[in-house]
Amino acid sequence: MRRTEPEGHGPVRYGPPLPGDGLPVPPGLAEALASAASHGDGEPVGGGPALLDAARGYWERRGTPAGPERIVAGPGAPALLLALTAAVGGDVLVPRPCAAWWAPYARLLGRPVFHVATPAECGGVPDPFALLETVRRVRAEGGDPRLLVLSVADDPTATVAPPEVLHEAVEAAADEGLHLVSDETWRDTLHDPHATVLVSPAEMLPDRVTVVSDLAGALLPPGWPAAVARLPPGAAGDDLHARVLDVLTALDARVAAPVAAAAAHALTEPEPVRTRVRDAVRLHARLAAAAHDAVVSAGALAPPPQAGRHLYVDLGPLRDALAARDVDDAQDLEDHLTARLGMPAPGGHRFGDDLAALRVRLSTGALLGGTDAQRTESLTSPTPLELPHVHRALTLLRSVFDDLGGDAQRWEPPR
């Protein structure tokens, strides 16, 4: 992570990667990858039959069936979003904040990106009134907004959009004729799936929604790049499918054969895969809840994390204490917390947030220990928060934020 203008807090073009799970590769995935290691060729552009059929079954089990002819695979979600952005054309709208990797790919194509405020309830989706206002303003200024990227289970805020909030945003987008890309990378990482309702925009507006899922969210290690996209039905979907394949072909964006074998195995969700996903989600949910308690106890603000392996923290209430440490914006805060915590703490400006806002994304994977043995122990322990290495990491996190919270109290004027 870096500034493009190191001396002047210039525009951020490259953001942090997805929050990793910090866990060793499961044996079943390693075996699936090894079984195809002798295949030197890549998959066909867009994915081979086994991978596409596995993706078909994955979405069918989630109530949004699609034939293989409506599915495209690529070497990570960024490649698919780049292809979709090029295929749809026009200007791009995203919520503020949003995943760090969304905007750079539009800018790479020379497309303007417009950030839209999110509702109070969640991140990941635009406020419908702000969306309508932004679209109409951009058109009045000669722009051509055509694509809205959103996320029901969000990076960076770790929130899940309530169905009624999502419906209003989708309805507003439909009224303005926008195509939607729903990033559902984190849909399988709900911390409390029985209490959290996740609905895909594809269930509300099937003819105008493309779903993208990076398998690094729940199913694959981050270093094995593979993602799948589910395109709309009908003639419009057929045309979009052809144009996306044209872009992927021009980029030679293929999934490596061994990774495709592992991805197909994961997408079929055999019992060992389901168990591993469930155990990893439970572990990261516990870590996220403990980290959330630590930061809010110190006086910071953070929405309760509902999905993923991260939380989004607003240290605005501690601004005076941070200013005394020469921390005046999100880049300063990123530098300060990264050094103090010994783990990446990317500032909110990496996610399209205001540079002046004191916000950071913290990832739970960094709390699992420094060795595979420690991480495996964290995964298998019935009481992972009590393990010495996890306890030390959480204690350091709490200490750093308590220190800032204590300073903030000392800076408060007497009443």
Side-chain angles (χ1 to χ4, degrees):
M1 297 183 292
R2 62 178 179 85
R3 300 178 189 146
T4 55
E5 299 172 16
E7 301 300 321
H9 292 233
V12 176
R13 300 189 187 277
Y14 306 103
L18 293 177
D21 70 0
L23 297 168
V25 176
L29 283 185
E31 292 165 6
L33 185 101
S35 70
S38 61
H39 299 170
D41 295 333
E43 288 276 282
V45 171
L51 179 54
L52 297 184
D53 188 62
R56 177 202 57 76
Y58 170 86
W59 273 308
E60 188 172 85
R61 289 190 295 276
R62 283 152 182 80
T64 52
E69 73 283 354
R70 289 171 51 200
I71 298 172
V72 178
L80 294 180
L81 182 59
L82 176 67
L84 285 162
T85 304
V88 172
D91 302 340
V92 180
L93 300 114
V94 297
R96 183 190 300 274
C98 69
W101 56 274
W102 290 356
Y105 292 93
R107 295 192 183 108
L108 189 65
L109 294 168
R111 302 285 166 73
V113 178
F114 298 94
H115 289 268
V116 184
T118 55
E121 296 92 332
C122 63
V125 301
D127 176 86
F129 298 105
L131 176 63
L132 293 173
E133 180 183 350
T134 302
V135 169
R136 291 164 188 173
R137 173 177 57 81
V138 171
R139 285 180 177 150
E141 294 172 355
D144 183 22
R146 296 190 204 173
L147 182 64
L148 169 65
V149 187
L150 50 75
S151 180
V152 184
D154 186 42
D155 173 18
T157 65
T159 58
V160 176
E164 62 275 12
V165 173
L166 177 66
H167 185 269
E168 291 177 356
V170 169
E171 194 172 57
D175 289 345
E176 296 300 328
L178 302 177
H179 187 85
L180 281 70
V181 170
S182 176
D183 176 7
E184 299 185 8
T185 294
W186 302 106
R187 71 165 296 153
D188 295 325
T189 66
L190 299 186
H191 295 178
D192 188 354
H194 299 294
T196 307
V197 178
L198 186 149
V199 178
S200 170
E203 299 176 60
M204 301 177 176
L205 193 67
D207 294 342
R208 300 191 70 89
V209 176
T210 295
V211 174
V212 173
S213 180
D214 196 307
L215 303 189
L219 295 175
L220 287 184
W224 299 4
V228 288
R230 175 186 175 277
L231 280 69
D238 293 341
D239 182 57
L240 182 59
H241 183 269
R243 284 181 284 146
V244 166
L245 287 180
D246 283 345
V247 177
L248 293 176
T249 300
L251 297 172
D252 197 27
R254 306 167 186 263
V255 183
V259 174
H265 173 77
L267 283 165
T268 58
E269 299 180 291
E271 181 57 34
V273 168
R274 292 199 302 271
T275 299
R276 172 59 177 265
V277 170
R278 183 175 61 247
D279 292 347
V281 169
R282 184 185 300 117
L283 171 62
H284 283 283
R286 290 175 176 176
L287 291 167
H292 181 264
D293 180 69
V295 300
V296 299
S297 295
L301 304 174
Q306 298 174 286
R309 305 185 283 259
H310 52 284
L311 64 158
Y312 199 56
V313 185
D314 184 351
L315 286 88
L318 310 181
R319 181 174 291 277
D320 289 343
L322 287 163
R325 300 172 184 236
D326 296 322
V327 175
D328 297 312
D329 62 22
Q331 179 66 65
D332 294 334
L333 182 61
E334 174 184 306
D335 296 340
H336 178 78
L337 287 180
T338 297
R340 291 289 305 279
L341 294 172
M343 58 183 274
H349 60 306
R350 306 282 177 184
F351 309 100
D353 225 335
D354 185 358
L355 178 65
L358 294 173
R359 300 187 183 115
V360 294
R361 187 192 71 187
L362 301 179
S363 300
T364 52
L367 305 173
L368 291 175
T371 68
D372 281 351
Q374 288 178 332
R375 294 164 182 159
T376 300
E377 186 181 15
S378 301
L379 181 67
T380 57
S381 172
T383 54
L385 304 188
E386 298 176 12
L387 296 173
H389 55 277
V390 176
H391 181 72
R392 281 194 299 271
L394 288 170
T395 298
L396 174 61
L397 178 69
R398 185 175 290 275
S399 175
V400 168
F401 277 88
D402 282 349
D403 191 24
L404 292 173
D407 283 355
Q409 290 182 350
R410 287 189 288 274
W411 276 94
E412 287 182 358
R415 296 180 181 176

